Amino acid sequence: MAQTASDLTPDAATEIAEALNQAVAETVVTTMLAQNYHWNVTGMSFGPLHELFQQIYEDHFVGQDDLAERIRAIGEIAEGKLAGHLDRSKVQEGDETASDKEMIRHLAEAQETIGATLAGLSEVAAKHGDIRTEDLAIERGRIHDKFAWMLRAHLR
């Protein structure tokens, strides 16, 4: 079991970094998605949605930094180009003219996508005994599950 980042084999660090970069990409795209919707949401639920979307993008900005810094801690390179994040991400950019319900649905799906990616990251980290990355993936996954629940609650 790897006790520290430097205990990881080069192959393990590369595999973990690949999974981390996937999580970063999806978090970056979702950060901008939430900010886009924060700026452009309209309708009767403007106030609470404007606030919720802000909570999401502020959380995700910190989250993407934590994930990227973990990549650096294990000695790998964090993707730093927006084009690279967009190419890699399973989350797609959103339409600023979408209805409030479409925005909510899209953001909920994005949270679930990131959650699934983080679950995969957790498995990769566990396979290599990287408990710190595994812990980070689990904690971030909990956050995305909560945001997905909060968003879906608006659709019922």
Side-chain angles (χ1 to χ4, degrees):
M1 175 175 288
Q3 299 300 314
T4 67
S6 62
D7 292 332
L8 293 170
T9 67
D11 288 344
T14 298
E15 185 177 359
I16 293 165
E18 180 62 27
L20 277 160
N21 269 310
Q22 183 68 40
V24 171
E26 291 169 8
T27 306
V28 167
V29 173
T30 304
T31 301
M32 194 63 229
L33 179 67
Q35 194 161 38
N36 175 0
Y37 290 166
H38 167 80
W39 292 330
N40 292 299
V41 68
T42 59
M44 292 298 295
S45 297
F46 167 80
L49 290 178
H50 184 76
E51 184 177 318
L52 177 58
F53 296 164
Q54 182 173 348
Q55 288 174 8
I56 292 170
Y57 76 71
E58 286 177 349
D59 167 81
H60 289 20
F61 186 78
V62 172
Q64 70 192 30
D65 191 55
D66 290 344
L67 292 162
E69 287 180 352
R70 184 63 189 160
I71 295 168
R72 295 302 296 145
I74 64 172
E76 297 289 321
I77 299 296
E79 172 65 62
K81 296 182 188 106
L82 292 176
H85 294 308
L86 286 168
D87 286 345
R88 182 188 294 262
S89 178
K90 294 178 215 151
V91 176
Q92 300 300 308
E93 291 183 288
D95 179 2
E96 57 275 354
T97 64
S99 71
D100 56 351
K101 288 192 185 310
E102 290 168 328
M103 289 177 178
I104 294 164
R105 189 172 296 105
H106 190 187
L107 268 175
E109 290 169 358
Q111 298 302 319
E112 291 164 351
T113 298
I114 297 169
T117 295
L118 289 163
L121 168 60
S122 177
E123 291 172 6
V124 169
K127 177 176 84 173
H128 294 293
D130 181 0
I131 60 173
R132 288 175 183 83
T133 300
E134 183 182 9
D135 181 63
L136 176 60
I138 290 167
E139 181 54 33
R140 291 297 314 156
R142 282 189 195 104
I143 291 166
H144 292 286
D145 283 352
K146 182 176 181 180
F147 280 132
W149 157 67
M150 293 171 79
L151 289 158
R152 284 192 309 266
H154 282 84
L155 298 174
R156 296 198 172 132

